Amino acid sequence: MRLPIVALSLVAATAALGLTGCEKQTKAPFQAGVCLHVIEQKDGTLKFNPVAQNVPSLELCAAELEGMRLRFVRLGSPSREMTGAYQGKFIFLQKEGIYLGDTYEGARFMSLVRTGDGRLAVPGAMPPQ
C-alpha cells in the first residue's frame, strides 16, 4: 500500500521534530528582577551569579552587564564577550552588539547593535556612516 504524499510529509516532519527534541536546551532561571552573570564551567554546566537585584527591565540588566564587561576589560581581561541572564532569557554581549536567546544553545536574536564608537543602539536607529 502506498502512502499519499501528504502522509509521507507528515511522517518526515514528525521525525525531524523528534530529533530536535534531543538537543540540549539549557534554560535560564526565572528570578523576578535579578540580573545574573553566566559562567560556563569546565564540565559544560552553567553557573549563575547575581549581579544586581530589583532590576526593572531586560535592557537595564544588559546595561549592568555591559558596565561589568567594560570594567573587566579595563582591568586587563582578555575576554571581550560575556553572557548574562534575566527572568528566563539569556543575554549575550558580543563584539557586534547584544543578542537575546531563550536557551543557551539555541538561536540568538539581536537586541542592540554597537555604533562605531562602541555605544549600544537599537538596530536601525543610527544612520549609516
Side-chain angles (χ1 to χ4, degrees):
M1 178 178 183
R2 296 183 67 133
L3 291 173
I5 297 294
V6 173
L8 287 175
S9 298
L10 183 59
V11 169
T14 303
L17 183 62
L19 289 175
T20 59
C22 296
E23 294 177 18
K24 186 176 179 184
Q25 297 288 311
T26 308
K27 300 216 180 244
F30 188 97
Q31 296 175 318
V34 179
C35 184
L36 303 162
H37 176 221
V38 180
I39 302 170
E40 187 171 346
Q41 304 291 302
K42 290 182 182 180
D43 64 359
T45 60
L46 299 180
K47 183 176 181 183
F48 297 90
N49 297 316
V51 173
Q53 306 283 332
N54 301 317
V55 178
S57 70
L58 186 117
E59 291 80 10
L60 289 173
C61 177
E64 288 278 348
L65 293 166
E66 176 69 3
M68 183 175 155
R69 185 191 73 78
L70 290 172
R71 286 188 295 277
F72 283 172
V73 167
R74 287 185 194 122
L75 290 172
S77 172
S79 178
R80 299 287 191 245
E81 297 182 352
M82 182 179 281
T83 304
Y86 180 78
Q87 295 188 175
K89 294 274 189 198
F90 281 100
I91 304 169
F92 302 94
L93 291 88
Q94 298 181 332
K95 179 176 68 169
E96 303 83 13
I98 295 179
Y99 294 81
L100 304 176
D102 291 331
T103 64
Y104 188 72
E105 302 82 8
R108 298 174 183 183
F109 303 95
M110 181 161 273
S111 175
L112 298 169
V113 295
R114 292 198 190 278
T115 62
D117 59 0
R119 292 180 295 157
L120 292 166
V122 175
M126 300 297 289
Q129 296 181 8

